[in-house]
Amino acid sequence: MFQLDYGDPRPLFEQIKDQIKTMILRGVLPANQQLPSVREMASNLTLNPNTIQKAYRDLEAEGYIYSVRGKGNFAAALSQQLKTEQQTQLKKQLKETLTAMLHLGISPEEALQWVKEAYHTEGGEPQ
Amino acid sequence: MFQLDYGDPRPLFEQIKDQIKTMILRGVLPANQQLPSVREMASNLTLNPNTIQKAYRDLEAEGYIYSVRGKGNFAAALSQQLKTEQQTQLKKQLKETLTAMLHLGISPEEALQWVKEAYHTEGGEPQ
DNA sequence: CGCACTGTAGTATTCGCAATAGTACAGTTA
DNA sequence: TAACTGTACTATTGCGAATACTACAGTGCG
């Protein structure tokens, strides 16, 4: 179900968190969709249930999922606040990238070209 | 000379590496400019010389600096290869950001608007 | 009820790796 | 020679991720 990279310096629970976040933000996991149980996911990924639980607890604290004792974990409805946060972060990220490009000697015109190009090559599905 | 964030999960030597990289890529550190000695930098940042040495060794392996035994560490001339690598990475980063924006419901038109906006607000120097 | 599932909480332990501490050796320069 | 430089070790500490294990609480179903 998920892709773990043991070479990645980032901890496993973070990798799991990010993948779930992405799925929720992109609508792959609709609201109230049930997630695999802590034990099941742990079994599938061959790691400890505690690791999954940490990921789930964090995600709940951040508003991406909600937990119901005895029932399971479910994708939360994507709040406007969460969307706005994400947008803000993406904007910041975009600006950082553009700044780095500028300082590397790439003109704004070239940058715009890159942007258009990125859209034209959509379907390659980066990441 | 450098800014260390002990709250950052990233190791110290990585933070140092990145800051030096950025300075070199942006021309703040011209070719053959001498860097502080391992021991001096360690003293300034109040950490162990080994930590600095690790950063320097990595940077040399990546082609950002060169070391001369008995003399010191110096910024390398920014090779075309290094620039190209950096450009490739930025392009990839840009595309990932744009893809995420798309999936968040931001149209290409809006995205372009963001890009222009980012340039207009230059001077705020993000990061 | 009893059973099998779910989440939750806690402790103890292992393990990896960043970072420290310390010593030693080699090359440069005045 | 003296005081710098880089480099190479080994040993140790310390932190946090991940494991292992146990236990308890709520849900759903036959």
Side-chain angles (χ1 to χ4, degrees):
Chain A
M1 181 163 194
F2 290 107
Q3 183 98 15
L4 294 184
D5 178 5
Y6 285 86
D8 196 315
R10 289 149 35 88
L12 299 176
F13 76 88
E14 283 243 23
Q15 296 184 37
I16 295 170
K17 276 177 61 182
D18 277 1
Q19 291 184 49
I20 296 179
K21 269 191 197 178
T22 302
M23 290 176 75
I24 292 180
L25 285 168
R26 298 191 175 177
V28 179
L29 282 181
N32 305 312
Q33 168 91 238
Q34 181 162 9
L35 295 169
S37 80
V38 169
R39 292 174 178 83
E40 185 191 349
M41 173 98 75
S43 170
N44 286 344
L45 300 180
T46 336
L47 40 80
N48 199 282
N50 295 350
T51 305
I52 310 295
Q53 201 203 342
K54 171 153 186 57
Y56 280 180
R57 266 213 306 158
D58 281 17
L59 287 171
E60 186 181 26
E62 296 171 27
Y64 286 92
I65 68 176
Y66 62 92
S67 296
V68 183
R69 201 187 189 87
K71 300 184 76 172
N73 288 274
F74 307 84
L78 206 45
S79 72
Q80 187 54 47
Q81 184 202 354
L82 231 47
K83 282 188 202 166
T84 307
E85 275 177 17
Q86 184 70 2
Q87 283 199 8
T88 305
Q89 199 205 318
L90 286 176
K91 230 171 194 166
K92 187 181 166 193
Q93 193 175 309
L94 180 66
K95 185 162 180 178
E96 277 174 19
T97 305
L98 292 173
T99 303
M101 285 165 63
L102 256 189
H103 288 152
L104 205 65
I106 295 158
S107 69
E109 291 72 27
E110 275 180 286
L112 278 175
Q113 204 51 45
W114 283 22
V115 173
K116 288 171 188 166
E117 186 182 321
Y119 278 120
H120 289 155
T121 55
E122 263 313 310
E125 286 298 316
Q127 204 265 343
Chain B
M1 181 165 192
F2 291 106
Q3 182 98 16
L4 295 183
D5 178 5
Y6 285 86
D8 196 315
R10 288 148 37 86
L12 300 177
F13 77 88
E14 283 241 25
Q15 296 184 37
I16 295 171
K17 276 178 61 181
D18 277 1
Q19 291 183 51
I20 296 179
K21 269 190 198 178
T22 303
M23 291 176 75
I24 291 180
L25 284 169
R26 297 190 176 178
V28 180
L29 282 181
N32 305 313
Q33 168 90 240
Q34 182 162 11
L35 295 169
S37 80
V38 169
R39 292 174 178 84
E40 186 191 348
M41 173 97 75
S43 171
N44 287 344
L45 300 179
T46 336
L47 39 79
N48 198 282
N50 296 348
T51 306
I52 310 295
Q53 200 204 344
K54 170 152 186 60
Y56 278 1
R57 265 210 309 157
D58 281 16
L59 288 171
E60 186 181 26
E62 295 173 27
Y64 286 93
I65 69 175
Y66 63 91
S67 296
V68 183
R69 200 186 189 88
K71 300 184 76 171
N73 287 274
F74 305 84
L78 205 47
S79 72
Q80 187 52 48
Q81 185 201 354
L82 230 47
K83 281 187 201 166
T84 306
E85 275 176 18
Q86 185 69 4
Q87 283 200 8
T88 304
Q89 199 204 321
L90 286 176
K91 228 170 195 169
K92 185 180 166 192
Q93 193 174 310
L94 180 66
K95 184 162 179 177
E96 277 174 18
T97 306
L98 292 174
T99 303
M101 285 166 64
L102 256 189
H103 288 152
L104 205 64
I106 294 157
S107 69
E109 292 72 28
E110 274 179 287
L112 278 174
Q113 203 52 45
W114 282 22
V115 172
K116 289 172 187 164
E117 186 182 321
Y119 279 119
H120 289 154
T121 56
E122 262 315 309
E125 286 300 316
Q127 203 265 344

